[in-house]
Amino acid sequence: MKIYIALALIAAGTVAVAHSGVKNPDVMNRMIGMSEMAKQMKTVGAMAKGETAFDADAVNAALATLSEEASYIPSLFEINATDPKSEALPVIWEEFDTFAGHAKHLEEITASLAGTVKSPGDLGPVMKEVGKACAACHSDYRKE
C-alpha cells in the first residue's frame, strides 16, 4: 500500500511544475484534468498516511470526483497533441482502446468505492485498489 500512496503524492507534488511552459492547449487541458485527479489522491493519501485527520465525507467525495474525472480521460486524449512538457507517451494513440479501457476501469473502481469509506481502516484497501488502477495506466502510457 505504501507504494501506491507514495506514487499518488509524488504525482500530486509534480503537477504545478509540469504546467509551467506548456504551450499546447490540448496538452494543458489534459494536465488540468490529471491535476484534479492528483489533488483528490493527495486528499485520500494524506489521510491514509495519518498526515491529516480522517474525514469519511471528504474521502468519499474525493472518490466520486476521481470517478467523474476518470470519465473524461478518453476525451482529453482524443487529439494526439504533443508538447515538450507532456508526460503522455505516443503509445496512447497506438493503443487507444486499451488506454480508454484503463480509464473506464478507474472510473468504475472509484465509483464503486465512493460512499463505502466509513473508517480509517477502509483507507488501505481503497488506496490499494485505486493505486493499482492508476499504476496500470501510468506504467504503460506515462513518462516516468
Side-chain angles (χ1 to χ4, degrees):
M1 178 185 77
K2 289 181 183 180
I3 188 71
Y4 298 116
I5 294 171
L7 289 172
L9 295 177
I10 288 168
T14 60
V15 169
V17 174
H19 285 93
S20 64
V22 176
K23 301 200 181 342
N24 186 297
D26 293 315
V27 172
M28 179 59 82
N29 284 337
R30 291 192 318 235
M31 288 180 159
I32 291 168
M34 294 297 159
S35 294
E36 181 58 33
M37 294 179 74
K39 177 182 165 188
Q40 301 308 316
M41 286 298 291
K42 186 174 181 180
T43 297
V44 179
M47 286 184 220
K49 290 177 72 176
E51 295 173 351
T52 60
F54 175 73
D55 180 342
D57 291 337
V59 173
N60 288 307
L63 290 167
T65 299
L66 278 165
S67 180
E68 180 181 357
E69 291 295 327
S71 75
Y72 304 139
I73 292 172
S75 65
L76 292 172
F77 286 86
E78 283 178 338
I79 297 172
N80 184 349
T82 61
D83 189 282
K85 295 284 187 168
S86 176
E87 295 179 337
L89 294 173
V91 71
I92 288 171
W93 296 279
E94 296 166 16
E95 300 176 3
F96 194 78
D97 289 342
T98 302
F99 173 78
H102 285 304
K104 184 68 174 171
H105 178 69
L106 177 61
E107 176 187 356
E108 291 169 351
I109 286 291
T110 50
S112 73
L113 292 170
T116 67
V117 176
K118 307 290 185 214
S119 71
D122 296 333
L123 292 174
V126 164
M127 288 299 293
K128 184 176 181 180
E129 287 300 311
V130 176
K132 284 187 340 188
C134 291
C137 199
H138 284 195
S139 65
D140 292 335
Y141 300 111
R142 180 178 178 223
K143 294 176 191 172
E144 295 297 324

